[in-house]
Amino acid sequence: MKSWWTSEKPLMIERAEKDDLPDLAKLHAECFKQNWGTAELTTMFEQKGVFILIARTSRVTGQANLGFVVIRSVAGEAEVLTIAVSPKQQNRGIGRKLMEAAIFQLYSDRAEALFLEVDDTNSAALKLYKKLGFKQVGERKAYYATSEGSGTALVMRCDLL
Ligand SMILES: CC(=O)SCCNC(=O)CCNC(=O)[C@H](O)C(C)(C)COP(=O)(O)OP(=O)(O)OC[C@H]1O[C@@H](n2cnc3c(N)ncnc32)[C@H](O)[C@@H]1OP(=O)(O)O
């Protein structure tokens, strides 16, 4: 009989290393039309205050990157630069796990607030952010030039302290 441990393929949340970035670029392209390539992710990865968390299955059970979040934290204020979960893995709690891990990290770093911008028609992302306690603090019309939605970005904030 298989144990729950091997049959469940537990999800790990880990800090990205530089050699993860080409695979994350592929994942980003699956999720966004205006996607970030390896070069853009590398530039971001090397910026001060930026960290990337990856959700993946363990090396023992066959490692696969299922999603990732890119955070920039400067002088007590942090921002979600992007979050992407592989389309086949969406709506299974992975985005929430990534956001929670990022928030725990920021909280222990004493960051005061986490901000993000999201298309106002992105219902899955909005549902996730609202559940985590994000509140709308602004709106940027015609922000996403190539958006399939209204193109309006909502600016959201979550207090961490
Ligand atoms: C700051 C930014 O980057 S904004 C852009 C966000 N990224 C994208 O839009 C890229 C494409 N989308 C994705 O990668 C993912 O759908 C994400 C990151 C938005 C969410 O990640 P997921 O792993 O799918 O979210 P997760 O499963 O944790 O669900 C969180 C909540 O959203 C809801 N949700 C997730 N997907 C959907 C969906 N397709 N339709 C409706 N609700 C959804 C879930 O039901 C859940 O709410 P619940 O707890 O009431 O059930």
Side-chain angles (χ1 to χ4, degrees):
M1 194 178 81
K2 270 191 165 185
S3 73
W4 68 269
W5 181 253
T6 48
S7 57
E8 286 286 317
K9 292 193 178 175
L11 193 72
M12 302 186 304
I13 307 288
E14 293 185 329
R15 283 251 184 172
E17 303 290 344
K18 204 167 179 179
D19 58 9
D20 290 314
L21 301 180
D23 196 53
L24 300 189
K26 280 187 209 154
L27 211 161
H28 205 255
E30 288 176 36
C31 292
F32 293 97
K33 281 193 173 160
Q34 274 206 310
N35 58 296
W36 295 347
T38 305
E40 283 156 302
L41 282 172
T42 304
T43 304
M44 233 159 260
F45 180 79
E46 289 171 347
Q47 272 179 33
K48 195 167 175 279
V50 170
F51 66 91
I52 302 178
L53 299 178
I54 306 179
R56 61 183 160 209
T57 50
S58 90
R59 287 183 185 84
V60 179
T61 52
Q63 184 170 294
N65 295 327
L66 308 183
F68 70 103
V69 61
V70 183
I71 305 284
R72 179 165 51 208
S73 179
V74 178
E77 285 199 347
E79 187 184 357
V80 181
L81 298 179
T82 194
I83 179 167
V85 172
S86 169
K88 282 188 195 145
Q89 303 290 339
Q90 288 176 9
N91 211 358
R92 296 175 58 192
I94 296 171
R96 187 179 178 105
K97 285 199 176 94
L98 280 166
M99 287 294 295
E100 284 175 352
I103 287 169
F104 284 136
Q105 177 64 59
L106 292 166
Y107 183 71
S108 66
D109 292 345
R110 311 285 190 271
E112 289 172 21
L114 178 59
F115 290 85
L116 57 81
E117 276 151 12
V118 57
D119 189 302
D120 69 346
T121 62
N122 190 341
S123 55
L126 280 168
K127 197 167 173 189
L128 170 62
Y129 302 145
K130 283 178 184 163
K131 281 206 154 189
L132 288 165
F134 281 83
K135 302 264 185 298
Q136 187 184 333
V137 291
E139 189 178 277
R140 292 181 182 151
K141 290 205 184 293
Y143 185 71
Y144 300 111
T146 58
S147 167
E148 287 172 355
S150 69
T152 297
L154 304 183
V155 182
M156 304 188 86
R157 172 187 170 119
C158 177
D159 290 321
L160 301 179
L161 291 182

